[in-house]
């Protein structure tokens, strides 16, 4: 008898795990938890976006991410230029100015990309969604994520479980 009960509990746990994993798995064909669409899932749920709006938001985020990645790639070159300026017998300010010019160009490109992406997002969203997104951006991810009523159904703390289902 104990074997049947134990088997049933194990089967229920396995089914629960599989169902939960399917929600986040990218192998299933849908957006995974770490895909651009998966990372923005909280924003999409919060703004109640349409699929067209989601596509535009993902594209805007990818554009900004690619522009920022170019700037991140320049960091190793900057460190090399600093080291080279220090290694020489005399301080070489010309190589540092050249590196600064590269950085300034990439930062300007990043600014233009951010401005263009924000303009596209502004056009795509309705006024309520714009206000909600502006609040998300202003307060930051963590602050806005935990203040939203649907952010967590329940959570643990030192005094036990709290939230919608905890009572």
């Amino acid at each position: 008898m104990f074997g049947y009960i134990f088997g049933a509990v194990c089967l229920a746990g396995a089914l629960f795990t599989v169902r939960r994993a399917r929600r986040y798995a990218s192998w299933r064909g849908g957006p995974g938890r770490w895909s651009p669409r998966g990372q923005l899932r909280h924003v999409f749920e919060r703004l109640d976006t349409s699929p067209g709006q989601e596509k535009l938001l993902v594209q805007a985020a990818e554009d900004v991410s690619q522009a920022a990645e170019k700037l991140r790639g320049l960091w190793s070159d900057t460190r090399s230029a600093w080291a080279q300026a220090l290694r020489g017998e005399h301080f070489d300010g010309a190589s540092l100015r050249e590196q600064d010019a590269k950085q300034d160009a990439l930062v300007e490109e990043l600014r233009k990309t951010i401005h263009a992406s924000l303009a596209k997002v502004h056009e795509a969203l309705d006024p309520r969604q714009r206000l909600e997104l502006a609040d998300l951006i202003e307060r930051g991810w963590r602050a806005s994520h935990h203040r939203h009523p649907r952010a967590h159904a329940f959570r643990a703390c030192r005094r036990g479980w709290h939230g919608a289902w905890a009572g």
Side-chain angles (χ1 to χ4, degrees), residues 74-88:
L74 191 63
W75 179 242
S76 62
D77 296 339
T78 303
R79 286 194 331 242
S80 297
W82 291 347
Q84 188 177 17
L86 288 173
R87 278 192 192 110

Side-chain angles (χ1 to χ4, degrees), residues 70-133:
K70 290 178 188 175
L71 190 60
R72 185 178 303 145
L74 191 63
W75 179 242
S76 62
D77 296 339
T78 303
R79 286 194 331 242
S80 297
W82 291 347
Q84 188 177 17
L86 288 173
R87 278 192 192 110
E89 189 66 33
H90 300 285
F91 183 74
D92 185 17
S95 66
L96 293 180
R97 283 190 291 276
E98 180 182 319
Q99 194 65 27
D100 289 344
K102 289 180 187 177
Q103 288 175 355
D104 292 342
L106 287 176
V107 167
E108 186 60 33
E109 181 182 336
L110 177 63
R111 281 187 190 126
K112 288 178 182 177
T113 304
I114 290 172
H115 293 179
S117 296
L118 285 175
K120 289 177 189 175
V121 169
H122 186 271
E123 289 178 17
L125 299 178
D126 63 28
R128 183 199 60 81
Q129 291 172 327
R130 276 188 238 129
L131 287 174
E132 192 74 30
L133 183 60

